[in-house]
Amino acid sequence: EADIYQTPRYLVIGTGKKITLECSQTMGHDKMYWYQQDPGMELHLIHYSYGVNSTEKGDLSSESTVSRIRTEHFPLTLESARPSHTSQYLCASSGYSIGSEAFFGQGTRLTVV
Amino acid sequence: GESVGLHLPTLSVQEGDNSIINCAYSNSASDYFIWYKQESGKGPQFIIDIRSNMDKRQGQRVTVLLNKTVKHLSLQIAATQPGDSAVYFCAERTGGKLIFGQGTTLQVKP
């Protein structure tokens, strides 16, 4: 059973608001990832981290930012939400070895109105 | 850029038949590949993985085949069941990043 949690599961928020999506894992994994996924579409990597104080941008440009102050916590922040940010956001974590699979959270479905 | 793609967006099979889902990847430097299953409203769930130094790996009712010569990955599901209905993604690990391809929706007909 994967121990990675995302909150909230669903969020409807007005344009211009600042939001933070939470992601926590209790597996002690060094690597963590954020993906953006539109319904029925592929997952696009927007941020990843190799460990504490490490953050990298993914392949899909995103206006969001992330931080990694603690191993278990990898929050994603949008300073000013826009309708174009409406999507599902998935957090994942994995160990460092080659054969270490990534475990996913349940996702946060964000709607910006 | 790097990408991993699947050949068919939708695959429809009869319950009890075998399913084969294909994936073509582009980065020959990728050293690890994973198949995920995603049900509606949920995050992707690990099915099976394979390292680049292998060409076949079997699990319970699932087999993954890796052909590095043509950069092709496939997932075989034996005796497909209604509970197998979902979207399936292949993913490759390159340079620390886990890159996903487009999904294939598996529909199981009773």
Side-chain angles (χ1 to χ4, degrees), chain A residues 9-83:
Chain A
R9 284 293 313 277
Y10 303 93
L11 179 62
V12 180
I13 200 163
T15 299
K17 298 292 186 183
K18 177 180 178 179
I19 58 169
T20 296
L21 308 185
E22 302 288 349
C23 177
S24 294
Q25 51 96 5
T26 58
M27 295 173 282
H29 285 162
D30 289 310
K31 290 185 177 179
M32 294 190 75
Y33 313 83
W34 275 104
Y35 291 87
Q36 185 174 340
Q37 183 185 34
D38 291 326
M41 304 298 286
E42 67 196 274
L43 285 74
H44 293 285
L45 181 66
I46 52 175
H47 298 283
Y48 62 105
S49 167
Y50 290 113
V52 172
N53 294 326
S54 154
T55 60
E56 304 285 344
K57 288 192 179 294
D59 297 327
L60 180 68
S61 175
S62 174
E63 294 166 344
S64 58
T65 59
V66 292
S67 62
R68 191 87 184 275
I69 299 172
R70 303 198 315 266
T71 298
E72 62 271 20
H73 197 215
F74 192 41
L76 180 144
T77 299
L78 275 167
E79 290 293 332
S80 180
R82 295 207 300 270

Side-chain angles (χ1 to χ4, degrees), chain B residues 2-93:
Chain B
E2 301 142 7
S3 66
V4 179
L6 292 170
H7 293 297
L8 290 174
T10 303
L11 176 66
S12 185
V13 300
Q14 205 70 38
E15 181 179 355
D17 287 352
N18 296 334
S19 302
I20 300 176
I21 301 172
N22 295 306
C23 173
Y25 66 94
S26 59
N27 195 329
S28 56
S30 295
D31 57 10
Y32 179 57
F33 303 87
I34 313 172
W35 279 101
Y36 284 92
K37 172 186 180 183
Q38 187 176 27
E39 296 173 309
S40 180
K42 297 183 178 180
Q45 181 182 9
F46 171 88
I47 302 173
I48 192 168
D49 58 0
I50 188 167
R51 299 189 188 194
S52 60
N53 61 354
M54 303 169 67
D55 51 26
K56 181 179 180 179
R57 189 157 190 231
Q58 286 184 294
Q60 187 178 13
R61 279 203 308 120
V62 294
T63 301
V64 55
L65 299 176
L66 175 63
N67 185 332
K68 293 182 289 295
T69 303
V70 295
K71 289 187 280 189
H72 183 266
L73 192 71
S74 70
L75 175 71
Q76 300 177 0
I77 304 173
T80 312
Q81 302 169 359
D84 295 327
S85 295
V87 181
Y88 290 80
F89 293 94
C90 64
E92 64 177 326
R93 178 164 291 165

